[in-house]
Amino acid sequence: MEFAGSHILSVDQFERGDVERIFSVADQLEPYARRRRRTRVLEGAILGAMFFEPSTRTRVSFGSAFNLLGGEVRETTGFEQSAIAKGESLYDTARVLSGYSDVIAMRHPTAGSVAEFAAASRVPVINGGDGSNEHPSQALLDLYTIGRELAGRDRSIDQLRIAMVGDLRYGRTVHSLCKLLCLFDRVQVVLVSPGELRMPEGIVDELRAAGHEVLESDALEASIAHVDIVYSTRIQEERFQSQAEADLYRGRFRLNQSIYTRHCEPNTVIMHPLPRDSRDSARELDDDLNDNPNLAIFRQTDNGLTVRMALFALILDVVDQVEKHATAVTWYVGGRTP
Ligand code: ASP
């Protein structure tokens, strides 16, 4: 695809070569993300960060990624703070706000709304999550992390074995990740969820049409025995009709160190898009895994910064200028090893 000026709305828009291009730009930008170099390549550019649903990581990492390239960030959070609360349409908001920014990152609770906004925007829009539909930048950083975790282990994204666990019905990160995996070869996917929260049929069909082996299960322990990656997810309680309904499923699948030791192959990588639900009633990834070197959740968040920097550099077409605007970092940067 042509990245310059493009919206990033769904992983459906990528071919394998596009994903590989994003990953190679991310590799190139890693020294800037890790504060070994700095660049002012986007000096003067403005990111409009519009988050109409709770977000910490995605919002802050989009903002920090833009800052690390030298740009400025303007934030709008919550419907109450925006003119949408006065009845303004997405069309009008998009027309107005795209006049103030060079690129927009947006999250919205309604599936399809970010695409609707993008259609009226005069600048590129990145989908930071639209309802239970998609979360393309998360899927890219997840896949980038998978590739890096497996490097040096004689395993790769082709022929990957992955278990996705939890709320596969409403979890947008797993929807996008499955679609991205369709670009690779001979993947084995074990989908572990309560029957009511299964992966949407259309996505399972897409995986099978890509030639992947798909198993569906509601039993955690047997499903994580022969995989490279366990990708755990939170019950998306904000998408349920009632709290009581969400409570039926919370805590159903809990991975802790003892289950890991008994059932997983050595070095199985543990991932989660975060936030993990650490309340006693949930604990899908127990805190006792924190010292497990295969817990990759904080490497995922670090990689999120790099991948989002890559998206901005590609969309705003400055990949080849990053180096020209680079200088040394002069402040204390110790303690940054992942
Ligand atoms: N942060 C992810 C998302 O926005 C996962 C989650 O909220 O559970 O979809």
Side-chain angles (χ1 to χ4, degrees):
M1 67 177 270
E2 174 59 48
F3 281 100
S6 288
H7 302 303
I8 305 290
L9 300 175
S10 160
V11 295
D12 287 339
Q13 70 195 83
F14 300 130
E15 292 180 5
R16 181 170 174 153
D18 302 322
V19 174
E20 287 166 351
R21 170 86 176 121
I22 296 167
F23 291 176
S24 96
V25 175
D27 287 343
Q28 181 191 329
L29 294 178
E30 191 174 29
Y32 299 91
R34 304 286 171 265
R35 315 297 201 276
R36 293 197 288 275
R37 312 250 309 139
R38 64 189 293 228
T39 178
R40 309 298 303 164
V41 71
L42 287 185
E43 186 156 30
I46 295 177
L47 165 69
M50 304 180 53
F51 281 75
F52 298 120
E53 231 190 15
S55 173
T56 310
R57 254 155 308 278
T58 307
R59 180 172 56 82
V60 177
S61 85
F62 268 121
S64 302
F66 209 74
N67 289 150
L68 284 164
L69 292 167
E72 309 260 337
V73 182
R74 293 278 169 274
E75 285 202 351
T76 307
T77 49
F79 286 116
E80 324 75 48
Q81 315 304 337
S82 87
I84 293 180
K86 299 182 189 168
E88 187 172 64
S89 67
L90 275 177
Y91 177 88
D92 286 4
T93 312
R95 295 295 296 176
V96 174
L97 287 179
S98 55
Y100 302 158
S101 320
D102 297 281
V103 56
I104 289 172
M106 180 175 179
R107 170 171 291 185
H108 194 284
T110 311
S113 55
V114 180
E116 185 186 333
F117 180 95
S121 169
R122 293 174 277 165
V123 300
V125 176
I126 304 180
N127 181 0
D130 62 324
S132 56
N133 184 35
E134 277 224 40
H135 195 342
S137 64
Q138 177 75 43
L140 287 165
L141 77 87
D142 287 339
L143 199 65
Y144 182 69
T145 303
I146 291 171
R148 290 176 74 118
E149 294 290 318
L150 298 185
R153 290 189 189 189
D154 206 20
R155 307 282 313 154
S156 67
I157 302 176
D158 289 318
Q159 298 179 49
L160 176 73
R161 303 168 303 160
I162 182 169
M164 298 185 193
V165 184
D167 182 352
L168 307 184
R169 176 176 179 189
Y170 295 118
R172 55 192 170 200
T173 72
V174 282
H175 299 168
S176 293
L177 183 56
C178 282
K179 289 170 173 222
L180 265 194
L181 286 173
C182 290
L183 300 174
F184 292 79
D185 296 328
R186 288 192 288 148
V187 176
Q188 288 175 31
V189 188
V190 191
L191 301 171
V192 189
S193 70
E196 299 80 353
L197 302 183
R198 285 167 60 187
M199 181 67 75
E201 220 174 288
I203 298 181
V204 175
D205 291 346
E206 277 185 56
L207 285 166
R208 294 207 165 109
H212 299 337
E213 197 180 298
V214 184
L215 275 173
E216 292 188 88
S217 168
D218 60 3
L220 177 69
E221 298 177 2
S223 306
I224 57 176
H226 303 291
V227 294
D228 305 304
I229 308 281
V230 177
Y231 187 104
S232 167
T233 65
R234 173 182 73 88
I235 299 297
Q236 307 282 296
E237 54 187 22
E238 63 277 33
R239 313 247 179 259
F240 287 78
Q241 297 294 336
S242 68
Q243 186 60 47
E245 194 193 347
D247 289 346
L248 292 175
Y249 305 109
R250 225 167 24 175
R252 186 77 69 89
F253 302 113
R254 297 166 183 258
L255 183 60
N256 58 28
Q257 186 57 48
S258 125
I259 294 174
Y260 180 91
T261 309
R262 274 184 286 133
H263 298 279
C264 292
E265 290 176 356
N267 294 328
T268 303
V269 177
I270 308 162
M271 295 176 59
H272 192 298
L274 299 185
R276 57 178 157 168
D277 187 341
S278 293
R279 288 170 288 190
D280 285 340
S281 55
R283 288 192 178 279
E284 64 263 7
L285 281 189
D286 201 286
D287 288 348
D288 73 359
L289 290 160
N290 287 358
D291 294 328
N292 184 325
N294 295 299
L295 184 74
I297 57 178
F298 303 117
R299 292 191 286 278
Q300 275 173 274
T301 51
D302 281 356
N303 290 336
L305 202 55
T306 331
V307 167
R308 290 185 173 116
M309 286 172 77
L311 287 176
F312 288 133
L314 284 159
I315 291 171
L316 296 178
D317 203 15
V318 293
V319 174
D320 296 336
Q321 299 171 53
V322 169
E323 202 58 36
K324 203 166 68 199
H325 295 269
T327 52
V329 170
T330 50
W331 58 89
Y332 173 79
V333 290
R336 278 199 173 271
T337 37

